[in-house]
């Protein structure tokens, strides 16, 4: 995800380099004839990276060019994606990290830390404060409790604890 103008410019430069690299690869008929599978694989990988960059660039441009007279909808697929949505909301609001920090009454470095770590260093209350400052409202929120997933997590934790206990016993 592109989070700022510097990353945007860098992504655009990388996209240009991928485009040029694909163009050069397309012109390399000798390599294509000598190793068609390797040539195709190389081209497909570069094309895949280019598409991903172009999608990120398009998303960033959509955010910075949105009409602020209308609310913008940002889809949040899961709670794990909430940090991305908060960053996108800040970008769409054309608000700098410094302006957000000022609204929150905190240092700009703290907002930078939030975004650099995808809000892993922020408490739930801090995340609520950021969402309030950005005018983020949930239109609809549906949560699904997956009982099979809960059981799988329980088993993983039990295995991890057993392994940890065995290691502790071996070192004693």
């Amino acid at each position: 995800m592109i989070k700022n103008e510097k990353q945007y410019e860098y992504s655009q430069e990388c996209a240009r380099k991928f485009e040029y690299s694909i163009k050069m690869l397309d012109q390399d008929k000798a390599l294509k004839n000598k190793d068609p599978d390797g040539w195709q694989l190389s081209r497909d990988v570069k094309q895949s990276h280019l598409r991903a960059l172009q999608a990120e660039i398009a998303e960033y441009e959509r955010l910075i060019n949105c009409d602020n007279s209308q609310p913008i909808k940002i889809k949040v697929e899961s709670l794990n994606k909430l940090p991305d949505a908060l960053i996108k909301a800040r970008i769409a609001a054309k608000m700098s990290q410094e302006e957000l920090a000022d609204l929150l009454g905190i240092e700009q470095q703290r907002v930078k830390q939030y975004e650099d770590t995808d809000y892993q260093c922020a408490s739930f209350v801090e995340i609520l404060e950021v969402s309030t400052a950005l005018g983020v409202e949930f239109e609809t929120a549906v949560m699904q409790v997956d009982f099979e997933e809960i059981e799988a997590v329980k088993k993983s934790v039990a295995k991890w604890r057993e392994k940890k206990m065995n290691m502790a016993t071996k070192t004693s």
Side-chain angles (χ1 to χ4, degrees):
M1 181 182 143
I2 298 172
K3 298 178 181 179
N4 57 48
E5 190 68 25
K6 187 176 181 178
Q7 290 178 0
Y8 173 62
E9 290 170 6
Y10 180 73
S11 296
Q12 287 179 312
E13 179 62 28
C14 288
R16 283 190 291 275
K17 288 180 180 178
F18 274 116
E19 287 169 345
Y20 178 77
S21 181
I22 291 167
K23 180 181 173 185
M24 292 293 101
L25 196 58
D26 285 346
Q27 293 175 1
D28 191 346
K29 302 298 181 197
L31 178 62
K32 186 175 182 179
N33 292 333
K34 180 181 175 187
D35 182 12
D37 291 337
W39 178 89
Q40 189 64 53
L41 179 63
S42 180
R43 191 181 192 296
D44 289 348
V45 166
K46 290 174 187 194
Q47 189 66 49
S48 175
H49 285 297
L50 176 59
R51 274 195 294 272
L53 274 171
Q54 288 170 331
E56 286 188 28
I57 290 167
E59 173 70 4
Y60 186 79
E61 289 172 346
R62 180 182 80 88
L63 294 170
I64 62 173
N65 294 320
C66 74
D67 177 5
N68 286 34
S69 67
Q70 296 291 319
I72 186 172
K73 293 186 187 268
I74 300 170
K75 190 171 183 179
V76 181
E77 308 260 337
S78 70
L79 278 177
N80 294 338
K81 297 295 182 184
L82 181 59
D84 287 352
L86 293 175
I87 295 166
K88 288 176 183 180
R90 180 188 59 75
I91 293 167
K94 297 166 183 47
M95 188 182 296
S96 68
Q97 289 178 342
E98 188 173 346
E99 290 169 314
L100 178 56
D102 187 50
L103 271 175
L104 295 169
I106 61 176
E107 297 293 319
Q108 185 267 336
Q109 188 61 32
R110 186 71 178 151
V111 173
K112 181 178 178 353
Q113 186 180 28
Y114 288 162
E115 292 188 4
D116 287 349
T117 64
D118 292 326
Y119 283 85
Q120 290 180 15
C121 65
S123 71
F124 185 68
V125 170
E126 290 168 322
I127 290 171
L128 289 175
E129 289 171 347
V130 169
S131 64
T132 300
L134 292 172
V136 171
E137 296 177 9
F138 283 94
E139 192 171 277
T140 305
V142 176
M143 295 179 68
Q144 175 179 309
V145 178
D146 186 338
F147 298 109
E148 289 179 10
E149 180 69 19
I150 293 169
E151 290 306 313
V153 169
K154 285 180 183 179
K155 288 177 184 175
S156 293
V157 169
K159 284 182 184 177
W160 179 79
R161 286 183 179 151
E162 184 180 325
K163 192 175 189 180
K164 188 176 173 184
M165 196 64 117
N166 289 339
M167 289 176 67
T169 306
K170 288 180 184 178
T171 59
S172 298

